[in-house]
Amino acid sequence: MKAGVTRFFAVCAAAGLGSVAGCGTPEAPLPDPLALATAANESGAPRTLEVTLTAQETSWDFGASKPSPVWSYNGTVPGPLLDARVGDRLVVHFANRLPEATTVHWHGLRLPNGMDGAPDVSGPVAAGGTFTYDFILKDAGLFWFHPHLRTDVQVERGLTGVIRVRGVDEPVVGTDVDEERVLVFDDVRVNDDGTFPTYLDDNSKMMGREGNTLLVNGRRTPTLSLRPGALVRWRVLNVANGRFFNFHIPGVSFHVVGSDGGSFAEPYDTDHLLIAPAERYDVYFRAPSTPGMLPLTSEPYDRGHDSGVRPPVVIAQLNVSGAAVTSSRPFPNVAPIASPIPVGAGTPRLPFVLAEGTDARGEFKFTVNGATYPNVPTVSTRVGEPFVLRVENQSEMDHPFHLHGTFFQQLDRDGVAIAAGRRVAKDTIVIPAKATLNLAANFDEPGMWMYHCHINEHSEAGMMGMIHAAR
Amino acid sequence: MNLTARLARPLAALVFAVLPACGGDDNLGTTDASTNAAADAGATVPAAPTITMLVKMTGGLHVSWTNATKDCDTIIGERKTASDAYVVAFTVPGAADNKHDALLTAGMTYTYRLHCVRGGISSAFSNEMSGTP
Ligand SMILES: [Cu+2]
């Protein structure tokens, strides 16, 4: 595994351990504090990844005075990284050892409807129950898994994990890039004693709860080591309930090559990378050539209700140190994965209107087409027939819109077309406040497919519905 | 949400008065009170909270404040109209720093004040702030 070489350099260089036993050769890398846990492959069959996944109560140190009573997959926050190749079969023997029902939703994956972890399709997995998820990984990309029941609470308490599905022509660490990392960004709100708050205030109901502790791969404000001049690939994922991250590293430009399940035909460069809850981005950048410490910050972004004028927050520190990289590798060429979904005048258009308000009790509600889930009327389409989701956001804030079971491609925003080179296979996209997006999609599996806002407090407060894809 | 936003967008909402210190936080969220105050606070009168913002939102008014006492048991919010006396509008846990007051009449002006209760002892009332949903 090439990543081991990367870890050797990063850890030994950062720790200044060049002469210490174990750091003298790449064969004996020290543990990387930001390494994600893995799950052992129990299958001997080719092209099969078979793992056991257990949702369970665990203690996890978020930096409070005591460890927090988290809910985790296999004992870590986030849960294990499942590493596979496109076309592999994934078999997950899931056991629920939580005190309540849950499901596992495989976010972004195209799979059979009954494997989707939607509780109203395949039923919840009761406390003490088990379920075997078994499907083919059809697409390359970075995906993740999380519960789809009481999502706001269960995800907040730590139930997240990552699936990296490698494509056939992926850049190779050590040949095409100097380092690759999967970085899971999160925030969690814990009391001084490590417990989770029992009361959810109205700001959190409106904006989605934002934590008082920022996390990278489950670690609070960690230090990431980079070699000067290194060409770095970061595959980033936001699993926060409500927080949008707007990444910035002083003096660094991100070369954005993909998002969710696709690659851009025309990558772009930016010094600020906005990532909403549940989105993923695939970015490259070159580490500064001068050694030193740099902050990775999340810069202000106004996602509505005057949320945009808060100060930047530091998420992590980057320690640029060690032997400089002089190879000056170019950014790899990444082939676009998705071909455009054909849309014409006769393509069906399904309208979805997102809105916010209060109910008769004065509680916030978040609606789709005037109703809250499960009372949102189901709309219908047919497998293999392209359609357009016309998503109009009438509310005062952004909503990251997620569709299960297939990808979509953004066609336009408020009537302004998206350049063909920037269309990409997305499963989660920000519908900005007061904006309308047209999204082309096409199911290849029949069933009842959920769509919802991925601010988890919003989906739980009603902004969720179903699309029926008929054969 | 933040003071600067209000100042930068005068049309956005409403009336308020503000403490300079209330900008600049990261809205890191309401956590539960961390100590059991009643036991060790004795007969000390807790300090009053301070209302920092009153914002028009989804047909109601959103009240935000800062807590001068960290370990209030509850924060009690009262509201009145021009013609009526104060009534209790909401009671929230002592670490809360915001509440949405939804069931209001559009166009009517409402005035709010808060107090903290700790160990059965009430603080003085906060400042008042008025707004119109
Ligand atoms: Cu939303």
Side-chain angles (χ1 to χ4, degrees), chain A residues 147-462:
Chain A
H148 219 287
L149 203 57
R150 290 224 302 153
T151 310
D152 54 338
V153 172
Q154 294 194 1
V155 169
E156 171 73 2
R157 292 196 69 159
L159 290 167
T160 61
V162 187
I163 308 177
R164 176 171 54 190
V165 185
R166 296 258 188 220
V168 289
D169 294 322
E170 294 236 359
V172 174
V173 175
T175 302
D176 305 308
V177 295
D178 297 304
E179 176 178 337
E180 175 181 325
R181 278 187 183 275
V182 173
L183 295 174
V184 181
F185 292 87
D186 195 2
D187 62 352
V188 65
R189 187 183 301 177
V190 289
N191 296 321
D192 296 345
D193 64 359
T195 57
F196 289 95
T198 52
Y199 170 75
L200 190 63
D201 61 289
D202 282 345
N203 275 352
S204 300
K205 291 177 183 172
M206 172 55 79
M207 305 305 293
R209 77 191 79 191
E210 295 198 349
N212 56 4
T213 303
L214 301 176
L215 301 171
V216 184
N217 291 4
R219 305 295 173 191
R220 180 178 190 166
T221 328
T223 297
L224 288 79
S225 295
L226 299 173
R227 284 185 297 156
L231 179 60
V232 178
R233 181 185 192 185
W234 276 6
R235 309 189 72 170
V236 298
L237 156 63
N238 179 359
V239 302
N241 275 36
R243 184 181 293 269
F244 286 43
F245 288 96
N246 190 19
F247 296 133
H248 178 66
I249 303 170
V252 167
S253 180
F254 299 111
H255 185 66
V256 184
V257 303
S259 182
D260 295 358
S263 303
F264 295 103
E266 296 170 11
Y268 62 96
D269 297 289
T270 179
D271 57 7
H272 285 79
L273 179 69
L274 182 71
I275 178 167
E279 280 193 302
R280 288 88 67 208
Y281 281 91
D282 190 356
V283 303
Y284 292 78
F285 65 92
R286 195 170 304 283
S289 55
T290 309
M293 296 293 284
L294 288 172
L296 167 65
T297 57
S298 183
E299 301 286 309
Y301 169 73
D302 189 353
R303 61 186 178 97
H305 295 305
D306 303 309
S307 55
V309 281
R310 296 179 295 175
V313 289
V314 175
I315 309 167
Q317 295 287 346
L318 306 185
N319 180 13
V320 181
S321 62
V325 174
T326 56
S327 61
S328 298
R329 304 181 206 279
F331 290 126
N333 286 319
V334 180
I337 293 170
S339 50
I341 296 172
V343 172
T347 304
R349 287 168 193 264
L350 308 181
F352 301 89
V353 176
L354 311 180
E356 66 188 33
T358 49
D359 65 17
R361 297 168 298 131
E363 292 291 323
F364 291 128
K365 65 177 181 179
F366 295 89
T367 60
V368 182
N369 293 341
T372 55
Y373 187 83
N375 298 316
V376 178
T378 296
V379 296
S380 294
T381 183
R382 300 193 75 84
V383 168
E385 292 185 3
F387 65 101
V388 173
L389 302 95
R390 181 184 187 278
V391 190
E392 177 184 358
N393 181 358
Q394 292 182 347
S395 75
E396 304 277 349
M397 64 181 297
D398 297 2
H399 297 286
F401 182 89
H402 171 48
L403 176 64
H404 290 212
T406 191
F407 299 106
F408 50 74
Q409 296 172 7
Q410 182 185 0
L411 301 176
D412 56 43
R413 172 182 170 175
D414 297 327
V416 179
I418 300 298
R422 296 285 285 275
R423 283 185 197 168
V424 67
K426 293 280 286 175
D427 53 64
T428 308
I429 194 168
V430 174
I431 315 292
K434 302 297 182 189
T436 299
L437 271 57
N438 281 299
L439 312 170
N442 186 1
F443 285 107
D444 72 329
E445 293 270 4
M448 298 289 283
W449 296 106
M450 306 198 76
Y451 65 87
H452 55 88
C453 176
H454 222 291
I455 292 173
N456 297 330
E457 288 72 16
H458 291 184
S459 56
E460 291 294 324

Side-chain angles (χ1 to χ4, degrees), chain A residues 44-206:
Chain A
R47 305 301 306 270
T48 300
L49 176 61
E50 183 171 7
V51 300
T52 295
L53 191 70
T54 303
Q56 61 196 59
E57 293 185 294
T58 312
S59 286
W60 194 258
D61 183 5
F62 290 126
S65 64
K66 295 176 188 169
S68 295
V70 300
W71 291 353
S72 74
Y73 292 122
N74 293 3
T76 61
V77 178
L81 166 67
L82 306 183
D83 237 331
R85 288 180 297 158
V86 66
D88 286 359
R89 177 184 174 195
L90 178 64
V91 182
V92 177
H93 301 289
F94 175 67
N96 179 13
R97 294 202 192 126
L98 303 173
E100 65 182 51
T102 188
T103 66
V104 186
H105 167 57
W106 307 94
H107 186 115
L109 294 175
R110 294 189 299 142
L111 37 57
N113 198 221
M115 294 289 132
D116 190 43
D120 293 333
V121 174
S122 50
V125 182
T130 60
F131 190 92
T132 296
Y133 297 92
D134 187 345
F135 48 85
I136 301 297
L137 298 163
K138 296 179 181 179
D139 303 290
L142 189 73
F143 306 100
W144 64 299
F145 52 97
H146 62 79
H148 219 287
L149 203 57
R150 290 224 302 153
T151 310
D152 54 338
V153 172
Q154 294 194 1
V155 169
E156 171 73 2
R157 292 196 69 159
L159 290 167
T160 61
V162 187
I163 308 177
R164 176 171 54 190
V165 185
R166 296 258 188 220
V168 289
D169 294 322
E170 294 236 359
V172 174
V173 175
T175 302
D176 305 308
V177 295
D178 297 304
E179 176 178 337
E180 175 181 325
R181 278 187 183 275
V182 173
L183 295 174
V184 181
F185 292 87
D186 195 2
D187 62 352
V188 65
R189 187 183 301 177
V190 289
N191 296 321
D192 296 345
D193 64 359
T195 57
F196 289 95
T198 52
Y199 170 75
L200 190 63
D201 61 289
D202 282 345
N203 275 352
S204 300
K205 291 177 183 172
M206 172 55 79

